[in-house]
Amino acid sequence: MKRSPFCHHPGSDEIVQDLAQAKKVAKKIGFPVIIKAAAGGGGKGMRIARSLVQLEEQFGLAQTEAQAAFNDPSL
């Protein structure tokens, strides 16, 4: 994780390629997690997953929303 003067929580420093990778990251950092579009400033493409089941439900929805809003499904 990169150093910052601001309070932050653990996450991924790179694009999460697929649901399998998202599950690995979530298991490492713990729930809840925010699934966020790589493009944009925040809001569009953001989903909260409080469990593995919710992560499975929300990951594809976040990708679809990111693709529609930014023409880029990267999370």
Side-chain angles (χ1 to χ4, degrees):
M1 187 180 321
K2 298 176 184 175
R3 292 204 175 262
S4 170
F6 304 102
C7 178
H8 60 278
H9 298 278
S12 173
D13 290 329
E14 56 192 35
I15 291 172
V16 176
Q17 299 294 329
D18 54 29
L19 181 56
Q21 185 181 4
K23 287 179 181 181
K24 286 180 186 176
V25 172
K27 286 178 182 177
K28 180 179 178 182
I29 66 175
F31 288 96
V33 297
I34 296 177
I35 307 163
K36 186 198 173 301
K44 291 284 186 185
M46 289 182 70
R47 303 283 174 153
I48 297 174
R50 292 177 174 83
S51 67
L52 194 56
V53 170
Q54 286 185 349
L55 179 63
E56 292 169 346
E57 294 169 351
Q58 298 297 323
F59 190 83
L61 295 173
Q63 282 185 315
T64 300
E65 189 173 357
Q67 176 66 37
F70 309 116
N71 199 32
D72 180 0
S74 302
L75 302 175

